[in-house]
Amino acid sequence: MTLTLSYSNPSLKGTIQVPGDKSISHRAIMFGSMASGTTTVEGFLLGDDCLSTISCFRKLGVGIELDGKTVTITSGGEASWQEPSEVLDTGNSGTTTRLMLGLLAGTSFHSVMAGDESIAKRPMKRIINPLREMGADIRGRQDGQFTPLAVQGTTLSAINYTLPVASAQVKSAILLAALKAEGKTVITEPVATRDHTEIMLEHFGAVITRRNGSIELEGGQKLTAAHVQVPGDISSAAFMIGAALITGQSEVVLTNVGSNPTRTGILDVIEQMGADFDLKERAVEGEPSADLTIRSSKLNGIEIGGDLIPRLIDEIPLIALIATQAHGTTVIKDAEELRVKETDRIAAVVAELSKMGADITATEDGMIINGPTPLTGAEMKTYGDHRLGMMAAVAALAATGEVQIDDPDCIAVSFPNFVEQMNSLIN
Ligand code: S3P
């Protein structure tokens, strides 16, 4: 089904609570399934990716009940998981696939994981290599590079590992495997990535030591059930931020948005571009969150690269779009990881924004955008990638003419009802 969007100088006003954080929602299900007792999760993201995680843990025998955005997980702990009689379907979710590899590697049973067409193309060796060093028995196409993956659970031993790619998924898979391994695991991160796993490990009672870019975890630790409060997802908020910035006379309030510093690169970027916004931190336990007020702004092009990239990796399609409306040149570099996301996001963003009239060029590790350029209606492809779908919908606000989006359903991976919510802000 194609979605057609057409606006005439829209102005956005109002308050929105964006859906729960995707990374934290996945982890809450995983940690609640590993812990003994009853874990409750509030503000859970009812997006397709996190529902895939729930379905996988149900197949391991964990009791998981959903009541609106509240999830109750009743588990006898990791030792009570059962060998699944079906393939664990991870859908479109890289986080489910990769983090679960770390968990399944240390069980005493056999399991098979597979996802959709996009998952079947995403690199898994980055996870399997360190897990194999720990003793894991994992098989898959091209020596384990691609799904479907078969895991024969076994005894694991600790490792010392320096991450070759800045990836929270790799770090997290090793940390989860390390919980069951014999000995002390030490992971070194040359560049900091999101630390939701570390925060949640402590929240569920594990002891970890974090110093100077390294994390130490002693194996054999058991987790205790906990209550998890999930803040709004800053990666989802980013699209509302972009919508307010590039439309005239807009003022949007986004309440309770996660403001973990490993995720707020988008705020650093819009500040440097000259955006008009206020941030009010809220007092919460565990993961920090804030209320954000964002207004229409005249933006300038900037250079984005280095250590900032992992702090905004999922926001780059949206940043590219706002750069088309900024004055001057925006250069995005050091972002070659975009080539192995849900789709090749460098190629896809450049192809789709070019169709609308943007002056945008792909480079090996990023893109160069000259602005401002007027945007015109076009037939936009999502490549089955939720963030490409939202980029196209936000671009429609600033475009003249009709924007058609070929597969809007994929947006539900991280932000169900995104277009309805965005439209509800239009006066
Ligand atoms: C995620 C880590 C990032 C991010 C993804 C979610 C996570 O991936 O792009 O959307 O929840 O740990 P990488 O670890 O591949 O960088």
Side-chain angles (χ1 to χ4, degrees):
M1 189 204 65
T2 303
L3 173 69
T4 304
L5 297 175
S6 167
Y7 302 96
S8 162
N9 293 322
S11 171
L12 274 62
K13 289 208 162 63
T15 301
I16 292 252
Q17 170 62 57
V18 296
D21 187 278
K22 182 155 79 70
S23 294
I24 300 173
S25 294
H26 281 302
R27 287 161 172 79
I29 300 300
M30 295 177 186
F31 278 72
S33 298
M34 281 187 281
S36 296
T38 303
T39 289
T40 45
V41 186
E42 267 183 80
F44 182 74
L45 168 62
L46 293 163
D48 292 346
D49 267 12
C50 298
L51 296 177
S52 294
T53 297
I54 289 187
S55 117
C56 290
F57 282 93
R58 280 184 175 150
K59 285 185 183 158
L60 299 180
V62 179
I64 306 179
E65 296 305 323
L66 268 170
D67 179 8
K69 291 180 197 162
T70 302
V71 189
T72 307
I73 306 158
T74 313
S75 176
E78 193 267 337
S80 70
W81 295 355
Q82 293 153 19
E83 185 167 71
S85 56
E86 288 170 66
V87 171
L88 301 173
D89 181 358
T90 60
N92 188 242
S93 178
T95 307
T96 313
T97 314
R98 293 191 173 132
L99 269 59
M100 279 195 81
L101 278 172
L103 287 173
L104 295 170
T107 63
S108 54
F109 53 74
H110 178 265
S111 49
V112 179
M113 264 196 298
D116 68 6
E117 255 177 71
S118 153
I119 282 295
K121 292 185 199 140
R122 300 188 67 182
M124 296 296 157
K125 271 281 194 73
R126 54 179 60 195
I127 306 283
I128 289 163
N129 287 342
L131 292 179
R132 280 183 179 156
E133 271 188 48
M134 297 175 84
D137 178 356
I138 303 172
R139 315 270 167 98
R141 289 182 296 135
Q142 292 187 31
D143 191 30
Q145 176 70 312
F146 299 115
T147 60
L149 293 166
V151 186
Q152 178 57 58
T154 188
T155 314
L156 303 176
S157 40
I159 47 166
N160 261 309
Y161 196 72
T162 300
L163 292 185
V165 273
S167 164
Q169 292 178 351
V170 176
K171 171 178 66 176
S172 301
I174 301 170
L175 282 171
L176 296 178
L179 270 179
K180 287 211 71 193
E182 273 169 39
K184 184 168 83 180
T185 291
V186 183
I187 303 175
T188 306
E189 275 196 297
V191 181
T193 64
R194 64 190 70 193
D195 64 355
H196 305 302
T197 300
E198 294 90 312
I199 291 175
M200 210 174 282
L201 275 167
E202 289 184 324
H203 190 66
F204 277 74
V207 178
I208 60 168
T209 309
R210 300 172 68 179
R211 61 177 148 230
N212 301 332
S214 75
I215 308 146
E216 298 176 13
L217 185 146
E218 198 67 59
Q221 299 191 49
K222 297 264 180 293
L223 303 180
T224 316
H227 174 71
V228 181
Q229 188 73 47
V230 183
D233 196 325
I234 193 164
S235 298
S236 298
F239 291 95
M240 294 296 179
I241 292 173
L245 286 175
I246 66 171
T247 50
Q249 327 250 296
S250 294
E251 180 172 280
V252 173
V253 179
L254 301 168
T255 52
N256 189 24
V257 178
S259 57
N260 179 318
T262 62
R263 296 284 301 282
T264 50
I266 176 71
L267 301 181
D268 296 10
V269 161
I270 62 167
E271 183 168 26
Q272 267 193 61
M273 292 178 96
D276 178 9
F277 70 101
D278 303 313
L279 189 74
K280 214 169 102 212
E281 292 288 343
R282 296 159 71 112
V284 278
E285 23 130 14
E287 291 278 353
S289 79
D291 296 334
L292 187 66
T293 306
I294 179 100
R295 303 174 195 92
S296 313
S297 304
K298 184 166 178 287
L299 303 173
N300 305 308
I302 61 165
E303 193 166 300
I304 302 165
D307 293 2
L308 186 55
I309 294 296
R311 296 180 53 233
L312 48 66
I313 188 72
D314 293 337
E315 286 63 82
I316 292 178
L318 181 274
I319 291 171
L321 167 63
I322 62 176
T324 69
Q325 303 307 296
H327 292 257
T329 303
T330 295
V331 179
I332 301 170
K333 57 179 191 181
D334 307 321
E336 57 281 344
E337 273 295 300
L338 291 177
R339 298 222 178 254
V340 289
K341 291 293 175 188
E342 281 82 336
T343 187
D344 175 342
R345 284 188 177 155
I346 295 178
V349 165
V350 170
E352 298 311 302
L353 290 178
S354 296
K355 283 184 193 166
M356 296 185 76
D359 177 352
I360 180 167
T361 316
T363 60
E364 269 305 294
D365 64 348
M367 46 196 107
I368 300 170
I369 306 124
N370 292 306
T373 46
L375 299 178
T376 52
E379 286 179 21
M380 304 289 278
K381 263 179 71 174
T382 63
Y383 307 81
D385 182 335
H386 52 131
R387 304 209 196 274
L388 265 292
M390 288 187 275
M391 181 195 77
V394 175
L397 295 170
T400 50
E402 278 186 357
V403 168
Q404 296 188 348
I405 304 177
D406 70 335
D407 170 26
D409 292 351
C410 66
I411 292 175
V413 156
S414 64
F415 200 150
N417 303 320
F418 169 73
V419 175
E420 290 83 342
Q421 294 256 352
M422 188 178 84
N423 285 341
S424 76
L425 293 170
I426 298 176
N427 297 89

